[in-house]
C-alpha cells in the first residue's frame, strides 16, 4: 500500500487546475445506460472510483473507450450492447455509488439485480428512499442473499416525497422517471450542482425535466432518449480542499477551472476565517494573511456547507485563534479524522454530532492513517501545516476522489512524496 510523506510548513505559491467532479461523473456514467449509441464525455477525472464504475459498466456489456482521444480526460461510451443487469457485491461494496445503475437499468431493461451496498466508515448509508421511490413507480423489489432483485414493466410516473434530501436518491429516481409512463414529481429533492448537471444532460438527451436546481423536480416520461456529448463540471470539493490548503500551509494559490458559484457557503465561511479570496467564477486567488479566526460550521444539504468539506475545515479550526464548534448533520459517524488529528496535537473534543475545537499554535508531524476519502484529505492539509514529518498510510482512500493530489501540491511548493509503505 502507498503512503504519503509530507514535510510541513512550506507555504504554497502557484496555480492549481481543478479536475472534473467525481460526484458529477458517476451519475452521468450511469445515465449512459439509458440509451444505446455513443456518448462522448469530456473532463472525466482520472480516479479509482471512475475506473471501478466503468469496470462495472464493461461487465454489463457496455463499450467504454478511454483511448478515443489522446486527450486523457475524454471517454466514449456506448451501451447498445447492454447484456447484463447485475451489479455484484464486490464492486458495490467498494463503491456505494454503484447503486446508481439501479434506476437506469430498470428504465432501460425492466430488471436489475444490485447488491445492497452495506455500510461504510462514515455511516449506515441506507438506500430506503431509493427503493421506496422505485416501488411507488411500480417496480417489484425483493431482497435475496444481500441483493435487491428489481423487476418492472414500463415504470409509471409517481409523486415521491423524500424524508431527507438524498443526492444519489434524487439522481436514481430522476433516471428511473425519464422513460416512465406519465409524470413523476420529486419533492424535497436534493439540489446539489451535480444533480443539476445530470438533469441538464438528460434534457439534452431529450428527456423532459423541469425544476432542476430546486427541491421540486418534475419529470415527464418520454419513449426514447438519444446519446450526447457532455463535459463534466469541475469538482467543487476538490476546489474547496485546495482553498483550505492555503489556510493550513500558508502562502497564496491561484485556483483555476472551478465554478466558484458552487462554493458560496464555503467561500463565505473561509472569508470569515480571514482568508483573502478574490477573482471571478472560474479563477480565484486565495491568500493567507496572518492567523485564522475561529468560526462555527454546520454541515447541511446544498446550498449549505457541504459535509464533504467538514474534515478539511476542521484542520483550519485546529490552528485558528479560539474555540469553534463543527456540527455534522448529514452523516452519523463522520468524525473518524478527529483521532488522527489528535495524534498531530490538535485539541478536539467530540460530543455526539458536534466537535469542539480549541485552536492551537502548531501541529507536530507524526504517522497517521487515512480512514475515508475526505478524512484522508484533512490529514494532508494537517501535514502541510505540521512541524516535521507526517506520514499518511492507506492513501488508497485518497486516490478514490483526488486526481494527482501530491503532484498538484508539489507543483506549488509543498514537500510531499508518495512512497511504497
Ligand atoms: C452523496 O452520497 C455523495 N456521493 C457523498 O460524497 C456526499 O457526502 C453525500 O451525497 C452528501 O452530500 C456521491 O454523490 C457519489 P445522501 P449519498 O443519500 O447520495 C440519508 C464523497 O466523499 N439517506 O445524500 O449516498 C443518509 O443516511 C461522498 O464524495 C437515507 O436515510 O448521500 C444521509 O444521512 C461521501 N436514506 C443523508 O440521507 C436513503 O435512501 C444524505 O445522504 C438515502 C440517504
Amino acid at each position: 500500500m502507498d503512503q504519503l510523506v509530507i514535510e510541513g510548513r512550506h507555504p504554497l505559491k502557484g496555480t492549481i487546475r481543478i479536475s472534473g467532479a467525481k460526484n458529477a461523473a458517476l451519475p452521468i456514467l450511469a445515465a449512459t445506460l439509458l440509451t444505446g449509441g455513443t456518448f462522448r464525455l469530456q473532463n472525466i477525472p482520472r480516479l479509482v472510483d471512475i475506473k471501478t464504475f466503468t469496470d462495472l459498466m464493461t461487465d454489463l456489456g457496455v463499450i467504454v473507450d478511454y483511448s478515443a482521444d489522446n486527450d486523457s480526460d475524454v471517454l466514449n461510451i456506448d451501451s447498445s450492447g447492454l447484456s447484463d443487469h447485475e451489479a455484484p457485491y464486490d464492486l458495490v461494496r467498494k463503491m456505494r455509488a454503484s447503486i446508481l445503475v439501479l434506476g437506469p437499468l430498470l428504465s432501460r431493461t425492466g430488471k436489475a439485480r444490485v447488491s445492497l451496498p452495506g455500510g461504510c466508515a462514515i455511516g449506515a448509508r441506507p438506500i430506503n428512499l431509493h427503493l421506496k421511490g422505485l416501488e411507488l413507480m411500480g417496480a417489484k423489489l425483493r431482497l435475496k442473499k444481500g441483493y435487491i432483485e428489481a423487476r418492472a414493466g414500463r415504470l409509471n410516473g409517481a409523486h415521491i416525497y423524500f424524508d431527507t434530501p438524498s443526492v444519489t436518491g434524487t439522481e436514481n429516481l430522476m433516471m428511473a422517471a425519464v422513460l416512465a409512463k406519465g409524470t413523476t414529481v420529486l419533492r424535497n429533492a436534493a439540489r446539489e450542482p451535480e444533480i443539476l448537471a445530470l438533469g441538464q444532460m438528460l434534457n439534452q438527451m431529450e428527456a423532459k425535466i423541469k425544476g432542476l436546481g430546486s427541491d421540486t423536480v418534475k419529470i415527464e416520461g418520454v419513449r426514447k432518449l438519444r446519446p450526447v456529448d457532455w463535459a463534466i463540471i469541475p469538482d467543487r470539493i476538490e476546489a474547496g480542499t485546495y482553498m483550505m490548503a492555503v489556510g493550513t500551509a500558508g502562502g497564496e494559490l491561484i485556483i483555476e477551472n472551478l465554478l466558484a458559484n458552487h462554493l458560496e457557503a464555503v467561500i463565505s465561511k473561509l472569508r470569515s476565517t480571514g482568508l483573502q479570496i478574490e477573482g471571478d467564477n472560474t479563477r480565484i486567488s486565495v491568500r493567507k494573511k496572518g492567523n485564522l479566526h475561529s468560526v462555527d460550521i454546520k454541515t447541511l444539504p446544498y446550498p449549505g456547507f457541504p459535509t464533504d468539506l467538514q474534515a478539511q475545515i476542521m484542520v483550519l479550526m485546529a490552528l485558528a485563534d479560539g474555540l469553534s464548534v463543527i456540527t455534522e448533520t448529514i452523516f452519523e459517524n463522520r468524525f473518524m479524522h478527529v483521532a488522527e488529528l489528535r495524534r498531530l496535537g490538535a485539541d478536539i473534543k467530540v460530543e455526539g454530532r458536534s466537535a469542539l475545537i480549541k485552536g492551537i499554535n502548531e501541529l507536530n508531524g507524526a504517522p497517521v492513517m487515512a480512514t475515508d476519502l475526505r478524512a484522508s484529505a484533512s490529514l494532508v492539509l494537517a501535514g502541510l501545516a505540521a512541524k516535521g514529518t507526517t506520514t499518511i498510510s492507506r492513501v488508497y482512500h485518497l486516490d478514490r476522489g483526488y486526481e494527482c493530489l501530491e503532484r498538484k501540491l508539489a507543483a506549488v511548493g509543498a514537500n510531499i512524496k508518495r512512497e511504497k509503505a
Side-chain angles (χ1 to χ4, degrees):
M1 279 194 267
D2 290 358
Q3 62 185 22
L4 289 178
V5 181
I6 304 173
E7 292 301 325
R9 303 164 85 85
H10 293 264
L12 304 180
K13 183 96 178 102
T15 299
I16 286 187
R17 181 176 173 73
I18 299 304
S19 303
K22 166 176 84 78
N23 292 349
L26 291 168
I28 278 173
L29 285 168
T32 64
L33 297 173
L34 287 163
T35 177
T38 301
F39 288 76
R40 184 172 185 278
L41 304 178
Q42 291 170 279
N43 203 30
I44 293 276
R46 281 282 175 263
L47 298 169
V48 168
D49 272 10
I50 300 297
K51 183 71 175 61
T52 303
F53 204 89
T54 53
D55 287 350
L56 166 59
M57 294 174 72
T58 304
D59 291 351
L60 295 174
V62 178
I63 297 173
V64 176
D65 179 355
Y66 275 96
S67 57
D69 292 55
N70 49 21
D71 176 349
S72 66
D73 68 3
V74 172
L75 198 50
N76 284 335
I77 307 261
D78 183 346
S79 69
S80 306
L82 185 63
S83 56
D84 197 345
H85 59 279
E86 177 164 327
Y89 175 57
D90 68 319
L91 271 177
V92 178
R93 167 177 64 83
K94 261 194 306 197
M95 188 191 57
R96 0 174 5 82
S98 315
I99 193 70
L100 282 169
V101 302
L102 184 54
L105 281 177
L106 266 184
S107 273
R108 173 87 177 275
T109 70
K111 56 185 179 181
R113 184 169 188 271
V114 178
S115 167
L116 268 175
C120 79
I122 62 177
R125 311 292 294 277
I127 58 166
N128 59 309
L129 301 177
H130 300 235
L131 303 182
K132 186 184 100 178
L134 291 173
E135 283 180 324
L136 286 172
M137 296 177 75
K140 295 284 172 273
L141 307 178
R142 64 181 185 153
L143 178 62
K144 207 169 155 202
K145 297 195 183 105
Y147 278 76
I148 302 144
E149 301 199 343
R151 292 286 178 278
R154 189 180 177 196
L155 291 166
N156 300 307
H159 191 107
I160 299 164
Y161 180 83
F162 281 91
D163 302 354
T164 177
S166 162
V167 174
T168 50
T170 304
E171 291 165 346
N172 234 338
L173 293 175
M174 255 166 58
M175 292 190 281
V178 287
L179 290 172
K181 184 164 173 290
T183 300
T184 298
V185 179
L186 303 181
R187 297 279 293 122
N188 197 27
R191 301 163 50 190
E192 273 66 5
E194 295 76 23
I195 300 170
L196 173 61
L198 171 66
Q200 288 168 334
M201 184 178 97
L202 290 168
N203 278 341
Q204 183 131 335
M205 291 164 62
E206 293 177 6
K208 290 186 177 152
I209 306 174
K210 289 196 173 61
L212 285 170
S214 81
D215 64 359
T216 301
V217 180
K218 201 168 178 180
I219 303 119
E220 192 189 323
V222 296
R223 290 299 288 182
K224 187 95 182 79
L225 296 166
R226 64 179 184 82
V228 295
D229 292 357
W230 195 258
I232 306 297
I233 58 171
D235 193 320
R236 61 192 167 98
I237 304 302
E238 184 195 18
T241 302
Y242 287 123
M243 292 162 75
M244 293 179 193
V246 178
T248 60
E252 172 180 356
L253 278 185
I254 301 287
I255 297 177
E256 58 181 25
N257 193 43
L258 78 161
L259 288 174
N261 62 313
H262 291 169
L263 284 157
E264 269 183 275
V266 176
I267 290 171
S268 160
K269 199 50 90 171
L270 290 179
R271 281 181 173 142
S272 309
T273 70
L275 279 181
Q276 295 184 353
I277 302 172
E278 277 128 34
D280 61 29
N281 197 37
T282 58
R283 192 173 191 278
I284 58 167
S285 72
V286 185
R287 188 179 314 117
K288 182 178 183 188
K289 279 251 180 278
N291 206 7
L292 296 182
H293 312 307
S294 298
V295 295
D296 293 340
I297 293 114
K298 186 175 186 180
T299 65
L300 288 168
Y302 192 87
F305 191 95
T307 173
D308 290 351
L309 282 167
Q310 177 258 106
Q312 297 90 317
I313 200 164
M314 187 180 282
V315 187
L316 276 72
M317 293 302 99
L319 292 162
D321 61 3
L323 276 178
S324 61
V325 179
I326 296 185
T327 304
E328 170 56 60
T329 72
I330 308 292
F331 292 113
E332 67 271 24
N333 186 35
R334 203 169 197 175
F335 286 137
M336 308 275 279
H337 43 288
V338 170
E340 300 302 311
L341 293 175
R342 278 207 204 103
R343 287 179 48 72
L344 304 175
D347 182 345
I348 307 171
K349 278 185 199 58
V350 173
E351 293 287 331
R353 288 275 184 128
S354 292
L356 178 65
I357 301 110
K358 188 163 174 295
I360 56 171
N361 287 333
E362 67 180 19
L363 295 172
N364 287 291
V368 288
M369 186 180 78
T371 51
D372 57 271
L373 168 55
R374 305 303 173 181
S376 43
S378 77
L379 298 178
V380 172
L381 299 189
L384 295 176
K387 210 159 118 218
T389 307
T390 300
T391 306
I392 304 171
S393 60
R394 302 192 179 185
V395 286
Y396 57 83
H397 288 292
L398 203 70
D399 297 335
R400 295 189 51 183
Y402 287 92
E403 188 178 46
C404 314
L405 177 131
E406 71 273 11
R407 243 187 290 155
K408 290 188 179 184
L409 283 172
V412 293
N415 183 332
I416 178 170
K417 284 188 290 304
R418 180 184 286 255
E419 291 178 358
K420 289 281 170 231

